[in-house]
Amino acid sequence: MSEKAEYLTEVSADESYDQLPDEGTVQETVENLEARGFDVVVVDTAEEALDELVDAIPAGASVMNGHSTTLEQIGFVDHLNGDDHDWENLAGQVWSIDDDEERQQFRREAQTADYFLGSVNGIAKTGELVAADASGSRIGAYPFAAGNLLLVSGVNKVVDDLDAALDRLEEFVFPLEDARAQDAYGAGSVVAKQLIYRQENEAGRTTVVLVRDDLGY
């Protein structure tokens, strides 16, 4: 049983916000994302998504990621923490710092990485992206700070419109993330800082890798 399936036996979450859309919906979503300035790559598998990310990041680039179950599932976190790349692993440097204040400062500086990777909590078929977290350490890089942004998502996060994407965050994602945070950190989560990403005005900066699979929350 997957982690998400296990949490769904423990918490109340509206699973109508976590369905695989038909191909027509996927294509309409891609067209609307591209019309809003996002580059979009559609792949069939987690393995292909990982290949896309690895190919997109040049040797010598500084790389940081925000917490993402999706990045864990496709194997990117393990790849970043391994030796099979020539990147500067800022995430690894963050957690090698013992002093709390120094670590927090470096986390802020790492938001300006050459490549920042993460996911989103909802994708509107109309082309908007919705993401949130408790501290802002994930979404702080999304709108401006990072040089390049690579976002990976399963198509299960596609919903009809922006209102539905916001509802998905509250009614499906949050109960699961709260349960995960309890297990991981010993304290629940909160939707404290939220981003609605309506448009990317810098050509080539933000790429959305859509996976035709059920990934993440």
Side-chain angles (χ1 to χ4, degrees):
M1 182 181 291
S2 71
E3 181 183 79
K4 179 164 69 174
E6 290 178 3
Y7 286 142
L8 284 171
T9 68
E10 302 171 4
V11 304
S12 176
D14 188 343
E15 295 182 62
S16 69
Y17 289 107
D18 197 52
Q19 304 298 314
L20 296 178
D22 60 35
E23 186 60 23
T25 298
V26 172
Q27 291 306 316
E28 184 176 353
T29 303
V30 170
E31 292 171 4
N32 287 328
L33 285 167
E34 291 177 338
R36 292 176 178 271
F38 302 106
D39 292 341
V40 184
V41 177
V42 183
V43 298
D44 291 326
T45 67
E47 292 78 9
E48 291 174 338
L50 177 59
D51 289 343
E52 288 289 339
L53 298 183
V54 171
D55 290 344
I57 304 172
S62 60
V63 179
M64 181 66 183
N65 65 283
H67 174 265
S68 164
T69 299
T70 302
L71 287 182
E72 293 173 348
Q73 289 174 324
I74 69 170
F76 181 80
V77 175
D78 286 341
H79 185 83
L80 179 60
N81 290 328
D83 298 323
D84 193 22
H85 61 76
D86 297 318
W87 311 326
E88 181 185 3
N89 179 3
L90 299 183
Q93 293 179 43
V94 166
W95 299 114
S96 70
I97 299 171
D98 291 331
D99 182 79
D100 289 344
E101 289 187 9
E102 184 180 348
R103 185 189 316 112
Q104 186 75 338
Q105 180 58 34
F106 190 80
R107 289 180 76 187
R108 288 193 169 94
E109 294 170 1
Q111 301 289 299
T112 63
D114 296 328
Y115 285 81
F116 194 98
L117 292 94
S119 189
V120 293
N121 302 122
I123 301 175
K125 184 173 64 175
T126 46
E128 300 95 341
L129 306 173
V130 169
D133 64 8
S135 69
S137 63
R138 179 174 72 126
I139 62 171
Y142 286 16
F144 181 76
N148 297 274
L149 181 63
L150 300 174
L151 299 172
V152 188
S153 174
V155 295
N156 54 300
K157 297 182 182 180
V158 173
V159 292
D160 284 341
D161 54 26
L162 178 57
D163 285 342
L166 294 168
D167 288 341
R168 184 183 195 278
L169 170 61
E170 297 283 352
E171 298 179 24
F172 180 77
V173 177
F174 174 70
L176 298 174
E177 175 58 22
D178 187 55
R180 187 200 70 82
Q182 289 280 4
D183 286 346
Y185 314 125
S189 188
V190 62
V191 181
K193 299 176 183 181
Q194 183 171 305
L195 172 69
I196 299 174
Y197 204 164
R198 297 177 185 269
Q199 185 164 323
E200 175 56 78
N201 294 320
E202 184 177 343
R205 176 182 178 268
T206 300
T207 298
V208 179
V209 179
L210 275 180
V211 190
R212 292 188 180 93
D213 201 352
D214 182 341
L215 294 171
Y217 299 163

